Amino acid sequence: MFSFSKKEEPDLVEVLDQRRPSNVDAMNQQHRKSVSNRGLTGASALTVKQSIFPITLVTILFFLWGFAYGLLDVLNAKFQNSLGITAAKAGGLQGAYFGAYLIGPPTYSGWIVRKFGYRWTFIAGLLIYGVGALMFWPSAVYRSFAGFCGSLFIVGSGLSTLETSANPFIATCGPPRLSEF
């Protein structure tokens, strides 16, 4: 369907020699109607049509962590029954989950966005989220309440990292005149 001739597709050396345009550069090049396949662009340099795909992917991420948050109350009820804990102790699960939202964005999540950009912050957030989800298995085998709290903290860390990058990415993706900034 999509085929690039050798002339259209940049070499690895050409890509590595380019720098990403800043927001100021993107605003100065606002008159451009399309983005070349040979250059690197920022999210604000995309046209409306080009920004549909990345915005759709990030919207799917919004649904993923909304789904994870919706499962939190269901997990609380199941943990109370299976582990024999009180409702007050089960509140520690929510404390662990939302504690990660308190710690993550001002510390490591913001640093990842500034140092590596949106893409790597999305990848890091999904990896942290995946590690937290995998940590549920040993916690369930050992029926460990502390393990479940740690797992939920790691899941919350991954989701807070995703939100740290997703919210500004959505706001800046596409033409600056349509941005929320």
Side-chain angles (χ1 to χ4, degrees):
M1 184 171 171
F2 296 105
S3 63
F4 292 106
S5 68
K6 185 64 180 164
K7 193 180 207 181
E8 291 178 15
E9 189 173 349
D11 294 335
L12 180 63
V13 176
E14 291 176 335
V15 171
L16 294 176
D17 288 342
Q18 295 176 2
R19 68 171 186 86
R20 291 188 179 273
S22 67
N23 285 342
V24 174
D25 293 338
M27 291 295 290
N28 290 337
Q29 297 176 2
Q30 191 172 2
H31 64 277
R32 290 177 46 189
K33 296 296 180 194
S34 66
V35 177
S36 168
N37 285 335
R38 300 189 63 80
L40 297 175
T41 60
S44 63
L46 298 176
T47 64
V48 173
K49 189 174 185 180
Q50 292 167 331
S51 65
I52 290 173
F53 182 70
I55 287 176
T56 302
L57 288 177
V58 174
T59 302
I60 291 170
L61 288 177
F62 275 107
F63 283 116
L64 275 175
W65 67 70
F67 181 72
Y69 174 70
L71 287 178
L72 186 59
D73 290 332
V74 174
L75 283 175
N76 273 346
K78 296 296 181 186
F79 287 145
Q80 287 177 19
N81 292 335
S82 65
L83 299 176
I85 58 175
T86 64
K89 197 170 181 182
L93 294 168
Q94 289 185 336
Y97 180 84
F98 289 113
Y101 275 83
L102 183 65
I103 295 170
T107 56
Y108 54 87
S109 299
W111 178 80
I112 294 171
V113 170
R114 285 188 302 276
K115 181 83 172 160
F116 300 106
Y118 294 122
R119 179 184 344 161
W120 288 106
T121 309
F122 287 139
I123 292 169
L126 288 170
L127 287 174
I128 294 168
Y129 177 69
V131 167
L134 289 174
M135 292 297 295
F136 274 97
W137 178 72
S139 300
V141 168
Y142 292 111
R143 297 177 54 91
S144 168
F145 178 73
F148 284 120
C149 285
S151 300
L152 277 172
F153 183 84
I154 295 170
V155 165
S157 294
L159 294 177
S160 70
T161 302
L162 283 171
E163 285 190 44
T164 300
S165 60
N167 291 333
F169 178 79
I170 290 289
T172 60
C173 195
R177 64 183 171 80
L178 300 175
S179 175
E180 292 297 321
F181 281 144

